[in-house]
Amino acid sequence: MTDADQVRDQIRDDAVEAALDKLDLDTKTLLLAGQDMWSLPAIPAIGLRSLVMSDGPIGVRGVRWTADDPSVALPSPTSLAAAWDPELARRAGRLLAQEARRKGVHVLLAPTVNLHRSPLGGRHFECYSEDPYLTGAIGSGYVSGVQDGGVATTVKHFVGNDAETDRFTVDNAIAPRPLRELYLAPFEAIVARARPWGVMTAYNQVNGTTMTEHRYLVNEVLRGEWGFDGCNVSDWMAARSTAGALLGGMDVAMPGPTTVYGPALAEAVRAGEVPEAAVDDAVRHVLRLAARVGALEGAPAAVETPPAPVDGRALARELAARGFVLVRNEAGLLPLDASAGRTIALLGAAARDARVLGGGSATVFPERIVSPLDGLAAALPEGALTYAVGADPCEEPTPADKGFELVAVCRDASGAVLGEGRLPTGQVQWIGDDLPAGATYETMASIEVRGTFVPRESGEHTFGTRGLGAFSLTVGGRRLWSGVQGMGDETDPFEAFFGAPSERARVTLAEGEPVEVSLTYQVPDMSGLPLRAVMFSLLHLGPRRDPDDLIAEAVQAARAADTAVVVVATTERVESEGFDRADLALPGRQDDLVRAVAAVNPNTVVVVNAGSPVELPWREDVAAVLLTWFPGQEGGAALADVLLGRAEPGGRLPTTWPALLADAPVTEVVPTDGRLEYGEGLFIGYRAYERQGVVPAYPFGHGLGYTDWAYESLEATPDAVRVRVTNTGARPGREVVQVYLAPAATASEGARSTTAERPASWLAGFANIAAGPGESVETEIALPARAFEIWDEEARGWRRIGGVYEVRVSHAHGDTRLTATLDIA
């Protein structure tokens, strides 16, 4: 910090103390409780405006779930980590801060820095990596970028929220050493490097204590050891205890208006259950947050002049390409030859209807979505591209989307219209104040999703519902179904709340002929609920054709083309927030499609549109495999850029990609009697593969570009390594120089035992470099002191392990290009 920064910090702290002195107990405790779904109350008497929060790892939703105020949708966090570039993450953060300011948001509920402990983790796509060092580096860049724009972040979910099964109640049993060296490490790094203004505590327990009440991890570690001075916000509905939460270091209970704080906290103080000084500490943290984002009069905002405006579309496109990971490219098939007369067959339902984001709380509504079909059609000359569905990963009705123009109409008991809002799909998901203008939970008796559907195909169309309650479904003026959908035996809390997708009727429709559709939902009485919400969907599934016929059509198109590009994908029923995955298989007949196409066209490229690892049983039978994650709104344009060589696939794997689920060293995500043992200790990801001698399909850090690199020299000291590399190819490119440490032997440490088990190697640093053809680059990569330390469970502190280490400068884990030896004291 500069002297000027320190002066401004002191002015802000003085303003915070002056404001705190003016508040009585009841006002203080109200300030710690959400007043609604997304905000804290304003207190005009002290010049405090309402603090507004919003979900937003990949885009800023704002305070209402609506398409009327679209959001830029960036690639998934795993894609951002795949770029291995903290400065790129910082640029992404600045764009999101710009979006937040536009929407009146002060606090972004991101980033998610939990680890990819198991490939079955359902929220894998929203986290960065299996490696704590890479996660901390990318997370620091993201937090710095958002806060460069004067918007707060809440680094989440602190800590151990690494799976979704029973996430509200699970007790994650994590030994002190892996807890420190793996799961806490990204949070610690981000606090040290980026000084985040907020942290979000998780639903789960760690070692028997709920995280919203975890005095040791929050008060002693996060605040005491690391010096975190920001605001600690609960995950939504996570706070369970008034006194326990406050004494456990939780500042804000969200959402409101009913929480464990507010009047309940004031009563607890008066009853002597908690000291008012603890309330003051929490209020101080909230006021400091308000001061930093410019919401407290008399306190200078941390950022008074935001950075220069960012072109959202252009950055989304660049981010997508930078995150694409080319894991196979036989005979240099990519980039494709797009010269006159060359033809491409684009295959797969996911090429036409792209999945660009992961779902759950990360969902936003972009102004536009560029599918792979859109992107390639725009980039190629007329007649060069053919398309066939080939295989559809979705085999059940999903929220009405392509071809539908829908609105939601809210009515009172008399049938009078209260308000209406446009819907981007058939899904209604209103939580708290998301309702259209004019509608209230007290007056609303029914909601009708209505509009026009123009079929893309002739045949039998399936319509359905999802949600709990009474419905009436009409298509083409004819009532097809009415009834009540009740709760089934769903164990997943999301599915229990939303209801399972249910088919209700089938109707024969003609391509291009509009038909009116309507689904009416009877709104139940929600007056007694702590959080009011409406969640239901009008579902649709297009005509089902014989899967063999679809594959045969794709094969015919592939045989006639110079190159076949097959897009395969997961669906929201396979990976999303709220549940973990059962396997790593691609849904539907997509594997069969790839095999059939590869059998007739040796120039087959497979594009994998998934947020996390999937099994690729045909990977050795195709010429190229490109991983695009969930690539954001500009994904199709970025795909065309990369396939045609206008941009290089810049990504390297941020997580190990197993050949089969059975090869994955850690797969347990389901607790036993409420407890999930992290019995693998330090050995997750590449550390576990190396320990067990298992060769993955693609190792951590792997990724190919469109040029070649020569690793020429290495100089190593205990503080840094200096590496020289040269671009030996014919085009400019990027390389990620990765540095791993491998202990060769340990030196004497006096009385202290040196037998502590450690991984065979671990990531200690990296650099993302760019160079033109023939150009050499020398880069210095710092070796942090922590890279040579372990957490000593007996001494409860960090201990440096001296001895001989091999420094491995690598293209990927296990692909070592240069080595040096260090003898560490």
Side-chain angles (χ1 to χ4, degrees):
M1 294 179 62
T2 65
D3 291 342
D5 289 333
Q6 292 177 345
V7 169
R8 291 165 62 82
D9 270 2
Q10 187 60 55
I11 294 173
R12 274 193 296 274
D13 286 346
D14 291 344
V16 164
E17 294 302 321
L20 178 60
D21 287 344
K22 297 176 183 177
L23 300 178
D24 59 27
L25 175 62
D26 292 305
T27 306
K28 287 187 286 191
T29 58
L30 284 175
L31 181 56
L32 304 181
Q35 66 177 350
D36 52 30
M37 186 66 184
W38 301 113
S39 69
L40 297 180
I43 305 177
I46 60 170
L48 176 66
R49 296 194 295 279
S50 175
L51 280 172
V52 178
M53 309 178 194
S54 171
D55 276 319
I58 57 98
V60 183
R61 182 189 307 150
V63 297
R64 295 185 62 240
W65 192 288
T66 174
D68 294 332
D69 183 17
S71 308
V72 173
L74 300 181
S76 65
T78 303
S79 177
L80 186 61
W84 287 62
D85 189 342
E87 279 306 309
L88 187 68
R90 189 166 192 160
R91 290 172 57 202
R94 287 181 172 177
L95 171 61
L96 294 175
Q98 175 179 297
E99 285 280 280
R101 293 193 306 271
R102 179 176 66 82
K103 290 177 176 254
V105 168
H106 304 104
V107 181
L108 198 58
L109 303 173
T112 303
V113 299
N114 302 112
L115 297 185
H116 296 170
R117 172 179 171 265
S118 165
L120 294 178
R123 213 166 173 180
H124 199 296
F125 60 88
E126 197 178 315
C127 310
Y128 292 128
S129 172
E130 69 188 29
D131 183 78
Y133 183 86
L134 177 59
T135 297
I138 301 302
S140 295
Y142 179 101
V143 167
S144 297
V146 174
Q147 294 182 176
D148 283 348
V151 175
T153 56
T154 55
V155 188
K156 65 183 188 182
H157 306 87
F158 189 78
V159 60
N161 184 184
D162 309 299
E164 294 294 279
T165 303
D166 295 345
R167 63 175 172 152
F168 298 97
T169 57
V170 62
D171 179 12
N172 293 324
I174 314 174
R177 194 172 162 209
L179 181 61
R180 288 283 188 158
E181 294 185 26
L182 296 180
Y183 303 101
L184 286 171
F187 292 94
E188 181 182 10
I190 293 169
V191 169
R193 298 175 188 170
R195 296 187 68 208
W197 301 341
V199 160
M200 180 188 290
T201 41
Y203 292 117
N204 54 275
Q205 301 175 54
V206 170
N207 298 329
T209 303
T210 300
M211 278 310 306
T212 51
E213 303 170 26
H214 215 302
R215 299 189 195 191
Y216 171 65
L217 289 179
V218 174
N219 291 336
E220 295 185 34
V221 176
L222 175 64
R223 291 200 184 279
E225 292 182 25
W226 301 349
F228 172 69
D229 67 352
C231 184
N232 177 14
V233 180
S234 75
D235 204 341
W236 265 227
M237 306 295 291
R240 300 162 173 84
S241 160
T242 298
L246 190 74
L247 296 175
M250 192 188 78
D251 299 322
V252 172
M254 292 296 291
T258 303
T259 80
V260 298
Y261 285 172
L265 180 54
E267 180 58 32
V269 172
R270 293 187 174 105
E273 297 173 12
V274 295
E276 188 168 355
V279 174
D280 288 346
D281 282 343
V283 172
R284 187 174 286 113
H285 299 148
V286 173
L287 293 175
R288 182 178 293 135
L289 173 62
R292 283 168 164 164
V293 300
L296 180 65
E297 290 180 11
V303 176
E304 294 185 325
T305 304
V310 179
D311 183 329
R313 286 187 181 181
L315 182 56
R317 186 168 179 167
E318 179 186 354
L319 287 168
R322 290 284 304 277
F324 289 175
V325 182
L326 182 61
V327 293
R328 180 176 173 85
N329 191 22
E330 291 301 289
L333 175 63
L334 296 182
L336 297 176
D337 180 359
S339 57
R342 305 291 293 181
T343 57
I344 296 174
L346 181 63
L347 312 167
R352 181 181 64 182
D353 301 325
R355 185 179 183 194
V356 301
L357 46 80
S361 59
T363 300
V364 295
F365 302 118
E367 187 175 29
R368 71 173 197 164
I369 291 176
V370 183
S371 70
L373 180 57
D374 296 332
L376 281 168
L380 292 169
E382 187 174 350
L385 184 69
T386 58
Y387 171 73
V389 171
D392 193 334
C394 190
E395 299 175 319
E396 64 183 2
T398 58
D401 190 0
K402 302 299 182 183
F404 287 85
E405 292 288 337
L406 301 171
V407 296
V409 181
C410 303
R411 295 186 174 90
D412 63 17
S414 72
V417 174
L418 300 171
E420 66 177 58
R422 184 172 64 91
L423 295 175
T425 71
Q427 178 175 317
V428 174
Q429 184 167 309
W430 298 334
I431 305 174
D433 295 334
D434 282 348
L435 302 178
T440 67
Y441 290 103
E442 292 77 14
T443 57
M444 201 166 46
S446 68
I447 303 167
E448 181 188 14
V449 174
R450 71 180 187 190
T452 303
F453 172 46
V454 181
R456 296 189 296 190
E457 302 167 89
S458 297
E460 188 176 59
H461 289 253
T462 301
F463 290 86
T465 62
R466 186 178 190 184
L468 304 179
F471 295 93
S472 177
L473 173 66
T474 300
V475 178
R478 184 162 60 96
R479 179 175 294 180
L480 300 179
W481 178 79
S482 62
V484 176
Q485 181 168 341
M487 180 140 347
D489 58 359
E490 299 89 359
T491 58
D492 164 57
F494 265 50
E495 190 159 282
F497 196 64
F498 284 99
S502 299
E503 180 180 326
R504 300 302 183 189
R506 297 187 180 188
V507 185
T508 300
L509 301 174
E511 177 184 351
E513 294 187 9
V515 61
E516 297 301 311
V517 297
S518 168
L519 177 67
T520 299
Y521 170 72
Q522 302 301 317
V523 179
D525 180 9
M526 289 180 273
S527 58
L529 298 180
L531 177 64
R532 293 182 291 186
V534 174
M535 296 187 182
F536 70 93
S537 296
L538 168 65
L539 305 180
H540 170 259
L541 183 66
R544 296 288 83 191
R545 293 183 53 203
D546 184 284
D548 290 332
D549 289 346
L550 290 176
I551 291 175
E553 285 183 2
V555 166
Q556 183 178 356
R559 186 182 283 115
D562 294 304
T563 304
V565 176
V566 186
V567 182
V568 297
T570 59
T571 68
E572 284 205 33
R573 298 284 283 171
V574 171
E575 54 174 334
S576 186
E577 180 180 349
F579 58 89
D580 290 311
R581 300 164 70 190
D583 56 47
L584 301 184
L586 286 167
R589 295 282 301 278
Q590 295 182 101
D591 287 334
D592 293 339
L593 171 65
V594 174
R595 291 189 183 99
V597 169
V600 301
N601 192 323
N603 297 326
T604 295
V605 179
V606 182
V607 175
V608 183
N609 179 195
S612 48
V614 292
E615 292 176 352
L616 309 175
W618 32 258
R619 66 186 185 280
E620 300 295 332
D621 302 325
V622 299
V625 179
L626 181 68
L627 312 181
T628 62
W629 316 105
F630 297 140
Q633 68 175 58
E634 304 298 321
L639 179 63
D641 291 341
V642 166
L643 292 181
L644 302 178
R646 298 169 184 171
E648 183 181 43
R652 305 292 185 266
L653 283 178
T655 199
T656 307
W657 205 278
L660 298 169
L661 175 59
D663 294 337
V666 181
T667 57
E668 186 58 67
V669 293
V670 178
T672 300
D673 297 327
R675 187 175 174 88
L676 182 61
E677 297 281 349
Y678 283 43
E680 69 282 349
L682 298 171
F683 297 95
I684 66 171
Y686 64 87
R687 305 164 189 237
Y689 283 89
E690 188 169 27
R691 185 193 197 200
Q692 296 184 11
V694 175
V695 178
Y698 305 111
F700 176 79
H702 173 64
L704 307 172
Y706 289 159
T707 189
D708 297 311
W709 298 87
Y711 283 64
E712 297 178 337
S713 65
L714 164 64
E715 298 175 13
T717 72
D719 299 316
V721 299
R722 182 173 291 276
V723 183
R724 181 181 177 85
V725 296
T726 297
N727 179 351
T728 59
R731 55 180 289 155
R734 284 185 172 273
E735 176 70 329
V736 177
V737 179
Q738 303 164 37
V739 179
Y740 297 88
L741 292 180
T746 55
S748 172
E749 293 183 273
R752 176 64 64 186
S753 168
T754 62
T755 59
E757 186 175 33
R758 289 188 290 173
S761 63
W762 56 88
L763 182 70
F766 64 89
N768 192 301
I769 56 138
E775 183 181 356
S776 297
V777 175
E778 193 167 84
T779 183
E780 184 171 284
I781 302 170
L783 294 179
R786 183 61 52 79
F788 300 99
E789 297 175 342
I790 67 167
W791 180 257
D792 188 320
E793 294 185 350
E794 291 183 15
R796 300 187 67 180
W798 292 100
R799 174 161 61 94
R800 187 174 178 88
I801 303 294
V804 178
Y805 290 81
E806 184 176 68
V807 179
R808 299 173 178 172
V809 174
S810 306
H811 173 75
H813 185 258
D815 184 0
T816 301
R817 304 296 176 89
L818 298 170
T819 63
T821 299
L822 286 177
D823 194 344
I824 301 297

